[in-house]
Amino acid sequence: MFSWILALLLALLLWGLASAYLWLVARRQTERQHGLAALAGMRWREFSRIVHQAMAEQRDLHPLTDDDENDRGTSSDFLLQRGGQRWLVSCKHGRAYRFDATAIHELASAISLTGAAGGLLITEGHVERDGLAEAEKHSIEIIDARQLWELLKPYMPTEAHETVTGIARREAVRHTGIAGLAAATLGLLAGMGYMTMQGDSPAAAPIATAPQVVAAPTAEPAAAAEPAAEPSNAKPAAAATSAAHPGDLVQDPDAATLLRYQQSVSKALAGTSGVVSGIWLTRSTLSVERSGDDAQVWPLICQQLQRYPALRTTRVQLNPRPGVDEPVRWRQCSTI
C-alpha cells in the first residue's frame, strides 16, 4: 500500500512542477511568439496608432501638435514631447530587423540632429548585444521582441488579443495533459520498482542470519562417527536420531524449524569433500560453491537435502569451479 501512496505523491509532485513551468513560463513564451506575429501582420497605420497610444499612456509622450505629420503616421521616425522636451521615437515595423552597434549609432546621430533630449527604438525585430551596449551609452531606450508584446498587448484589438491568448492557453492545456500522463507513468514505474525491492528483501534475510546462528549438534554426525567395524549398530543409531529429533520428519515446518534444517545442511556441506560452501539464497534455493565435479559432489549434496522432507525439492544452484570455464547449473534432487 505504501508503494502506491509513494507513486501517487511522486506523480502529483512531477505534474505540479511541470504544470507550473507550462503555465508560468512556456505559456508566456508562446503568447509572446504569437503576439509578435500578430503585431507584424498589422498595417503600418494600425501599428503606429497603438504605439502612439502606448507612448502617451505609459511614457507620457504626446505628439508635438494635433496636425503634425508624425501624428498621421507617414514616417517610421516621429517626434513626441514630454515636459517641453522632444523625444525621437524610431518605430521599425517588422520581425526581420536586426540592429547592431552601427545602427544604434546612426539613431543616436539622428536624435542629436533633431535636438531631441532622448530617443526610443521600437521594433518586433531584435537588437544584438553590441547594439544594446551602444544604446546604453547614448541613453536610448530599446523595446524589441523581448518586451514589445507586453507593452502593446493592452492596446491590441480585442479579437486579436483573444486569439493570441486563446492559442497560448490551449497549447498549455494540451501540454499539461501530456505532462500528467507522463507523471502518472513515472509514478507507476516507481511504485512497481519499490514493490520489487521490498519483495526481494525477505529472500536475502536467511543469507545474513545463517552464518551467525550455530545450530545445535544433531545425532546424525554422531552416527556418522561410529566405527565402520560395527555395521550392526547403524539401524539403532538411525532410530535414535529419529527419536531425538522428531521435528526432522516434518513435511511443512514452521519458519524457525525450517531455518534450523537449512543451517544444518549448510554446516554439513561445509565439511563435505569437494564442496566449499552452501548458502541459502531463498527459502527454496541453495547456492553451492564447489571444488569437485558434478559426479563427485551431487550425490553428497542430495544425501544432505533428502534427510529433510521439507528440503527434498530444493533448487540447487551449482556454481562454476574456480578457474574452470563452465556454466551455472540448476538441479533438483527430487520433484514434487
Side-chain angles (χ1 to χ4, degrees), residues 257-314:
T257 304
L258 179 62
L259 179 60
R260 181 167 61 84
Y261 295 168
Q262 292 173 333
Q263 292 170 347
S264 298
V265 170
S266 296
K267 183 177 180 180
L269 290 178
T272 300
S273 175
V275 178
V276 177
S277 65
I279 302 297
W280 292 91
L281 300 180
T282 67
R283 180 184 178 95
S284 59
T285 303
L286 175 66
S287 175
V288 175
E289 300 290 340
R290 59 198 174 89
S291 58
D293 57 22
D294 291 359
Q296 174 190 354
V297 302
W298 182 245
L300 300 177
I301 295 172
C302 288
Q303 179 181 357
Q304 296 299 329
L305 291 173
Q306 289 179 338
R307 291 165 52 198
Y308 305 95
L311 302 179
R312 288 174 182 172
T313 58
T314 296

Side-chain angles (χ1 to χ4, degrees), residues 119-141:
L120 292 90
L121 174 60
I122 299 176
T123 180
E124 299 104 324
H126 187 78
V127 180
E128 306 293 344
R129 180 175 298 180
D130 59 342
L132 292 174
E134 186 71 15
E136 186 175 357
K137 288 196 303 183
H138 295 284
S139 300
I140 298 175
E141 182 180 356

Side-chain angles (χ1 to χ4, degrees), residues 1-11 187 190-191 194:
M1 183 63 182
F2 176 75
S3 62
W4 297 118
I5 296 177
L6 179 65
L8 178 61
L9 292 177
L10 177 62
Y194 182 83

Side-chain angles (χ1 to χ4, degrees), residues 179-202:
L181 292 176
T185 301
L186 290 175
L188 179 62
L189 292 176
M192 294 177 64
Y194 182 83
M195 289 183 63
T196 302
M197 292 175 60
Q198 291 297 106
D200 291 343
S201 297

Side-chain angles (χ1 to χ4, degrees), residues 241-258:
T241 299
S242 300
H245 299 284
D248 289 348
L249 302 179
V250 177
Q251 178 68 38
D252 188 16
D254 56 34
T257 304
L258 179 62

